[in-house]
Each structure stands twice: as structure tokens, then as C-alpha cells.
Amino acid sequence: MSSSLHVALGDSTLHTDAVRVLTEWDAPDAEQDLLRHDYLDHLAARADGVWRSCRPAHITASALVVDADRGRALLTLHPKVGRWLQLGGHCEPEDDTLAEAALREAREESGIDTGLTLLGDGPVKLDRHAVRCAGKDAPENTHLDVQYLVLAPAGAVAEISDESLDLRWFDLSALPDPTDDSVRELARRAQLALA
């Protein structure tokens, strides 16, 4: 059976990896553990739960790219949301793991082609948020985001992509407005991981 047919049927390595990652992940608090269980319930109910076409919710992967030497995070000014966010997005058929999806998104949106590496053994945070990823006139759906920390190589130069209005490095303790509490919490967790 071709890999595209496997994806169409929902029989994917990515789905299996998402279940493994979320099952093994040691959530840092009760709220995150509740989200972890909700994500696992979603994946148990939906074989297509990692794909953009899954409605009303689907798994996404994101990465807070950090410059450890300078204590900075790379954020994108998201064109649809109008806020500064971490890099990330939808899983693609070529992604075998959630970590690979987060790294791919980080490379695509940062322009840093080589040297990005995961920080830690798994995700640092989960975030569930409502979006209109199919367009402003389409029904709202929910992203079940699995968030990773990604370390940029020393001297990395970011280059804006067509998926962003702006792309900048910000001090982890001085994030710009407008951003949201989820990104601020992700930055706080990055600071703890880098300490």
C-alpha cells in the first residue's frame, strides 16, 4: 500500500508517534495533564486526528526557537492572527514524528536551514486554541498544539518567509505586544530549561 494511501486511511506513523509522545510525556501540572488526556482521547477517536482535514480539531506542532547564548526567542508576526507567536503549524504527510513536524515548521518559517536541534526529550507544553485555519469565512476549528523548544545554532540568521508579516528575535523576558499568555508561558518554560 502506498504511503499516500496509508495517510488517506489514517494509518500513519505520525499518528502512532503522537500517541506514543503524549502517552510518555510527563505533564508538568494537572492542567497540562488534562490536556494530554484530551489529546489522547482525540487520537483514539480519530485515526485522521493529526491532519488538517480533521474537523473540528486536529493536532499541530510548534517550536519556540531559542538563542541560548543571548536568551532570545524567535517569534513570527502571524498574518491571520495578528500577534507574535512561536513558529509552527499543520502536520504534513512527510512528517513521521511530531518532533520532525515542529522542526520542519521551524526551518520553513525561520529560514534557518541547518543546525536547529530539539531541546529536551519531548514537548514542553500543550496548548488548545480556536482558529479559522481554513479561512475567515470557514467554521472555526481547534488546534491541539504540541509545543517544543528548539535551539538555534550560534550566529543563526533568520530570514522571513511568506508565512509571516515579520520575524524577529526578542528577549525571553521581554516579549512584544501583541502576543498571548500561551507564548509567554512557553517563554517562561524556555527560561527554566536554559537555566
Side-chain angles (χ1 to χ4, degrees), residues 112-147:
I112 302 170
D113 291 331
T114 59
L116 293 176
T117 57
L118 286 176
L119 193 59
D121 294 330
V124 294
K125 186 174 169 300
L126 305 178
D127 185 67
R128 177 175 32 212
H129 50 272
V131 296
R132 293 192 187 280
C133 59
K136 65 181 175 122
D137 296 327
E140 193 170 78
N141 62 356
T142 301
H143 280 180
L144 306 174
D145 198 32
V146 180
Q147 301 176 335

Side-chain angles (χ1 to χ4, degrees), residues 39-99:
Y39 285 26
L40 286 167
D41 289 346
H42 166 76
L43 290 167
R46 297 294 301 258
D48 64 342
V50 296
W51 307 123
R52 173 193 308 233
S53 59
C54 182
R55 305 277 185 220
H58 48 267
I59 300 288
T60 57
S62 67
L64 183 66
V65 176
V66 296
D67 171 353
D69 293 338
R70 297 185 182 164
R72 303 181 304 172
L74 186 62
L75 300 180
T76 179
L77 185 56
H78 196 283
K80 290 182 183 175
V81 180
R83 287 184 284 195
W84 292 97
L85 302 174
Q86 76 277 10
L87 309 177
H90 293 105
C91 299
E92 301 292 344
E94 65 267 19
D95 300 325
D96 287 332
T97 69
L98 287 176

Side-chain angles (χ1 to χ4, degrees), residues 95-111:
D95 300 325
D96 287 332
T97 69
L98 287 176
E100 286 176 15
L103 282 167
R104 177 189 47 75
E105 286 286 341
R107 284 190 300 273
E108 289 175 1
E109 294 182 13
S110 73

